[in-house]
Amino acid sequence: MTTIGIIGAGNIGSQLARLAVQHGHEVVIANSRGPETLTDLVSELGTAARAGTRDEAAAAGDIVVVTVPLAAIETIPVEPLVGKVVIDTDNYYPQRDGQIAALDDETTTTAEMLQDHLRGAKVVKAFNHIGAADLTGHATPSGTADRRALVIAGDDEDAKRTVADLIDEFGFDVVDAGPLAEGWRIQRDTPGYGPRLTASELRDALAAAKRYRDM
């Protein structure tokens, strides 16, 4: 049994918590408003889940999901995550996040920004290109024909293997896009962002992705 810490209890965080509990994991989930605001969600999830602070979710998790707006990256605790696998689900939406120069000129990616903040953690990009409802609605057992695939990207091979195993358990095939710097291939407005694709189709979508400046 793995404990999954989830920092961010929005649509994606809540759905990942549901998947984790369904597959026998324990969950510690946190948001920016305090554990007392998560009573209904924790009640739904059952005894395998509890609400906590961000520090508590970071400390408790064997794997920790960060699913917060980009402006909140600096609030993610650093020390409890040293040595841990951290899943980044973030996307850059200027209308929500404001203009971020390094993302506008594409000299970095959201996951690299989180990795820069979380020195010592092992950040893996995942779950950023699927709608929240589809996380449970599209999940199917391994070996299912035309099974939906999801992308990972990361600089640590062991960390990527851990996340790939979790994604497979949750109901999806996995396509490895390479290092964190290649995570742009599955950012908003790319061919793989959003639609339900098999592993083969998703590889083609990654290959066809263009930088914003080339669109």
Side-chain angles (χ1 to χ4, degrees):
M1 180 185 295
T2 300
T3 298
I4 299 178
I6 300 178
I7 301 176
N11 292 332
I12 294 292
S14 297
Q15 286 290 76
L16 289 175
R18 293 181 179 101
L19 279 171
V21 167
Q22 287 172 16
H23 290 276
H25 301 287
E26 294 189 343
V27 167
V28 180
I29 189 165
N31 63 8
S32 61
R33 295 176 294 145
E36 66 280 359
T37 66
L38 295 172
T39 302
D40 290 345
L41 177 60
V42 169
S43 178
E44 173 201 332
L45 294 172
T47 58
R50 65 181 175 89
T53 64
R54 291 183 175 195
D55 286 87
E56 288 169 341
D62 301 304
I63 300 170
V64 177
V65 179
V66 173
T67 179
V68 300
L70 290 176
I73 280 180
E74 295 299 321
T75 71
I76 305 302
V78 176
E79 191 60 33
L81 295 175
V82 171
K84 292 188 178 183
V85 176
V86 176
I87 298 173
D88 167 53
T89 77
D90 284 342
N91 292 298
Y92 174 42
Y93 291 100
Q95 65 270 32
R96 177 195 68 185
D97 303 315
Q99 299 298 143
I100 300 173
L103 294 176
D104 289 336
D105 64 22
E106 299 186 272
T107 56
T108 192
T109 62
T110 60
E112 289 174 290
M113 288 176 57
L114 182 62
Q115 181 69 81
D116 287 344
H117 173 65
L118 296 178
R119 296 291 183 179
K122 304 169 186 176
V123 174
V124 178
K125 189 74 176 183
F127 298 118
N128 72 300
H129 62 101
I130 180 172
D134 294 342
L135 280 167
T136 50
H138 288 179
T140 56
S142 181
T144 300
D146 297 324
R147 192 187 197 203
R148 182 167 182 169
L150 298 179
V151 168
I152 59 171
D155 296 335
D156 186 287
E157 293 300 320
D158 289 338
K160 284 198 290 187
R161 194 171 301 111
T162 295
V163 176
D165 288 345
L166 186 69
I167 291 172
D168 178 58
E169 181 184 6
F170 280 2
F172 303 89
D173 286 343
V174 179
V175 173
D176 186 348
L180 282 181
E182 289 295 292
W184 69 269
R185 291 184 178 277
I186 199 65
Q187 63 194 3
R188 59 175 172 79
D189 301 326
T190 57
Y193 186 85
R196 179 175 186 162
L197 301 174
T198 64
S200 177
E201 292 167 338
L202 192 50
R203 290 188 192 97
D204 290 343
L206 291 176
K210 294 181 179 180
R211 295 280 193 178
Y212 293 136
R213 59 180 173 265
D214 298 324
M215 289 183 181

